[in-house]
Amino acid sequence: MYKYNYADQTLVEERVAQFRDQTERFLAGELPEDQYLPLRLQNGLYIQRYAPMLRIAIPYGLLASYQLRKLAEITRKYDKGYGHFTTRTNIQLNWPKLEEVPDILAELASVQMHAIQTSGNCIRNTTTDPYAGIHAEEIADPRPYCEIIRQWSTFHPEFAFLPRKFKIAVIGTETDRAATQVHDVGLHVKKNDAGELGFEVLVGGGLGRIPVLGKVINDFLPREHLLSYLDAILRVYNLHGRRDKGSKYRSRIKILVDTLGGREFAKLVDAEWEANTKDGPLTLTDDNFATATSYFSEPDYKTFDALQVQSELQQQLADDKDFANWYQQNTVAHKIAGYRAVVISLKAGLVDGKYVPSGDVTDSQMDALADLADEYSFGELRGTYQQNLVFADIETNKLYELWQQLSDLHLARPNINTLTDMIVCPGWDYCSLANATTHNIAEQIEKQFSDLDYLYDLGDIRLNMSGCINACAHHHTGDIGILGVDKKGENWYQISLGGNSSNDAKLGKILGRSVPTEAVADTIQQIVDVYVDLRATTDNDVESFGELVERVGIDPFKEKVYG
Amino acid sequence: MANHHILDSQGGDISAQDNWLALSTDTLPGGIALSEITLLELLHRQEKPEVIVPLADLLNTEGALAGGLMNEVYELIVQHSSHLGVWITADTDADVLSKLSELLLKQTLIVIHVPKFADGRGFSFVQTLRQLGYKKEIRVAGEFGRDQIAYLLRVGVDSFVLSEHDIHPDSKFHIEQAFTALASSYGGRDASALPMFAGA
């Protein structure tokens, strides 16, 4: 994991001082609201329905145990004892006091954390694959590139007041677990025929009001040009992106790329790049890459007797069905024999009859997870796009005892990739942008789909639910997407089917008119029934929900729901 | 005109030494310079002042130098000025700037007008001008805020026009602090300056 040196640490501390000064001037009436607003946003601070919301950066989702412990302490001391993990692998506090935010930032700085550029019209936290560095099919570990981008984009003086926000995602495998096609820039690590590393560069993806998939503007950008090329993309966007009044929803780079077309946009970028920055001081050297890579070296993996590991595991799986379910759903193959990655489900559903919102973790859970990370996973955790956490390096023979401890914490629900592994934004309950509540709907769905064996029979179904058109929960890319809308003061829900955020990314199609609050779970049930009726089954394969929608379209579902 | 001050890159007030006059036109926003001068006054004045003219009025609708509103009188302005500068709006097409490098490189001062705090095009204009090889003074005027000064300095701005209101002369939050905020952050132009490569 990257450890701050003196320069990073100084920078973060200077930022705390700067924001303290800005907040004091704002409270003293010396900094106008229209200036304080973008400044506080660049420190992750929103004003929400009841209180400010502070979004803390977790760069590319990587979190050390001591950082998680600090987060637990902060939620206890300054908030209500819980935090909310987001699709962009950040964590949000819902109840901080404005005047205490500088103190929170100072506490964060003490563990190399911050809220820099987690909001506002600037370059946001770079995200990546939660299995970076541990996946057997990986071309190269994306994290060193993420860290280079983090350092380049932090306080970049030219790109702090862009037309709109700007999100970058990097992956190092063929399989896309970071939704790169719906990012402003998606970078796919590639190797050319000569064995050199570079990137396929996608630009102009994004969801929100006008969902668009990214377009490839460069098939292979040699990696030494990473920063100079990003610099050219950002300059073209900063100068040409829309800023006219009332065009907030047309200000993202996706609109510029769509208007010009991918090829024309690529030409502008190439012209800027070739004329000004290519081969200039932003060019990265092999030494630079070696330095960056050195921060993500492999931990001290042990060697195991594979036969013994397997026989012990098989015994445990045979003895305990609950463990077997969890192993099946919540653990992932590791490139090192004798290790697995573990997905910690932050979709506990109903705990003692009470719904726990997707992505929410309490302070005591955070403390416990930090201890477990120290004991079992080299002191590290990762956040995922699906609002879960990951222990990346668990010894296979420790899975059983880890599972028992996670179960006690309500963090071992074996529902990863099932219908109840929902991505859900906080909705109207917290967010002042939202049109509708989401938690009550998620609770309804939890109650309807509580039978685990039934969920397993349904297989992988991604359900994403946003409380407004801004689409923080990426409803467009769910197999099932739910969008809350407001109709004359009542919450209604529009359902879409067939979305996907991975390699064959596509945007869901709207099923039809929206349904009232009380009918959402029943409607999802009808949709799922159609799937069960129509899915093709062979001896060794069952057609997934996504495959079925792709094959038959949405008409059979329409007929069932509205017919 | 509102009471404005010119600050140099250290935050020092250089208003007393600054003699630039903005040529009065219909579109002249406040705070391009400390004072204005009309064309008529300029032509009748004995000594030759330093004059800032609007780039937009020198150009035709295609962004070329020929046929602009002021083009016919530009030679007169040149003759009656000791030094010349231009001010540019945020709506200026960056591609136009690139085509006008000959004219721009002759200027002693280029003032970039920021229409709105959140409008960050000016940051890239500075970069574009420096890429064209412009080495003389770049000044920022308009609705930028003191909290952007540290960033503007790093992209290559030399001086700032601030209103009395922005400076808050009696405040305990001295304007000088704005010039030293985020003192360790880098300019964004050099990979070797990233913390992990700088070997700090």
Side-chain angles (χ1 to χ4, degrees), chain A residues 238-476:
Chain A
N238 194 34
L239 288 169
H240 298 283
R242 286 185 62 171
R243 292 176 183 268
D244 40 310
K245 218 173 173 179
S247 71
K248 189 177 171 195
Y249 304 109
R250 302 193 171 273
S251 300
R252 293 278 295 271
I253 196 172
K254 64 190 175 188
I255 303 298
L256 180 65
V257 176
D258 232 29
T259 309
L260 293 170
R263 284 175 70 178
E264 201 51 41
F265 180 81
K267 269 193 217 165
L268 284 181
V269 171
D270 282 342
E272 171 65 31
W273 184 52
E274 307 262 355
N276 294 313
T277 50
K278 189 185 179 190
D279 298 322
L282 279 173
T283 308
L284 293 153
T285 64
D286 284 346
D287 272 356
N288 290 156
F289 292 116
T291 302
T293 305
S294 70
Y295 291 104
F296 302 94
S297 56
E298 279 191 1
D300 228 347
Y301 290 124
K302 295 180 199 162
T303 355
F304 297 98
D305 177 345
L307 213 58
Q308 199 190 333
V309 168
Q310 273 311 310
S311 75
E312 199 176 314
L313 174 69
Q314 291 311 322
Q315 191 61 48
Q316 290 164 333
L317 293 172
D319 289 348
D320 194 325
K321 181 166 181 293
D322 291 340
F323 174 65
N325 283 342
W326 179 80
Y327 177 84
Q328 177 67 30
Q329 294 298 136
N330 292 32
T331 75
V332 177
H334 197 293
K335 68 177 181 186
I336 306 290
Y339 285 86
R340 301 280 288 180
V342 164
V343 185
I344 300 152
S345 174
L346 301 187
K347 321 293 168 64
L350 302 165
V351 174
D352 302 327
K354 201 171 169 294
Y355 171 71
V356 180
S358 288
D360 276 16
V361 193
T362 66
D363 62 324
S364 55
Q365 284 176 323
M366 287 187 227
D367 278 332
L369 283 172
D371 291 345
L372 292 175
D374 283 339
E375 190 175 348
Y376 295 104
S377 201
F378 301 104
E380 280 182 19
L381 299 98
R382 297 155 182 220
T384 77
Y385 164 58
Q386 290 87 1
Q387 297 181 285
N388 293 308
L389 292 172
V390 163
F391 284 143
D393 302 296
I394 304 294
E395 291 172 31
T396 304
N397 286 348
K398 298 270 177 71
L399 286 170
Y400 191 79
E401 55 179 270
L402 175 64
W403 167 71
Q404 289 176 313
Q405 297 182 69
L406 287 173
S407 297
D408 292 343
L409 295 163
H410 300 290
L411 293 170
R413 192 175 184 212
N415 66 337
I416 299 306
N417 296 330
T418 71
L419 184 73
T420 57
D421 184 13
M422 293 178 263
I423 298 177
V424 183
C425 78
W428 202 89
D429 291 331
Y430 293 101
C431 178
S432 50
L433 298 172
N435 295 122
T437 52
T438 51
H439 291 160
N440 59 329
I441 304 298
E443 183 172 354
Q444 231 185 69
I445 293 168
E446 286 287 358
K447 285 178 175 157
Q448 180 85 22
F449 295 92
S450 57
D451 185 88
L452 208 52
D453 288 327
Y454 179 56
L455 284 178
Y456 292 159
D457 177 58
L458 296 176
D460 290 1
I461 301 182
R462 168 122 306 284
L463 193 159
N464 295 347
M465 173 162 41
S466 310
C468 78
I469 194 79
N470 292 306
C472 291
H474 293 199
H475 60 274
H476 302 104

Side-chain angles (χ1 to χ4, degrees), chain B residues 141-159:
Chain B
E143 300 304 313
F144 68 98
R146 65 179 263 173
D147 295 284
Q148 291 171 319
I149 288 173
Y151 284 27
L152 288 164
L153 280 171
R154 258 181 282 284
V155 289
V157 172
D158 302 292
S159 58

Side-chain angles (χ1 to χ4, degrees), chain A residues 5 8 10 14 21-22 25 30-31 38 151-152 155-158 160-161 231 235 238 243 272 276 281 288, chain B residues 117-118 120-121 123-124 131 146-148 151 168 171 173 177 182-184 186-191 195-197:
Chain A
N5 60 30
D8 298 274
T10 309
E14 285 171 359
D21 170 75
Q22 288 165 351
R25 279 163 44 226
E30 290 188 22
L31 180 58
Q151 298 199 9
W152 163 76
F155 306 134
H156 195 296
E158 188 182 344
F161 296 89
D231 175 86
R235 183 158 313 107
N238 194 34
R243 292 176 183 268
E272 171 65 31
N276 294 313
N288 290 156
Chain B
F117 182 76
R121 284 175 290 185
F123 293 86
S124 285
Q131 282 173 179
R146 65 179 263 173
D147 295 284
Q148 291 171 319
Y151 284 27
H168 283 283
S171 169
F173 305 103
Q177 289 167 7
L182 298 178
S184 317
Y186 82 123
R189 311 243 51 86
D190 187 349
M196 74 172 134
F197 304 140

Side-chain angles (χ1 to χ4, degrees), chain B residues 1 21-29 35-42 51-54 57 70 77 87:
Chain B
M1 224 183 246
L21 300 172
L23 190 71
S24 303
T25 63
D26 294 345
T27 55
L28 181 69
S35 308
E36 298 179 21
I37 186 167
T38 65
L39 184 59
L40 210 61
E41 285 166 348
L42 176 65
V51 180
I52 309 169
V53 300
D57 286 356
M70 209 178 278
I77 299 172
W87 66 270

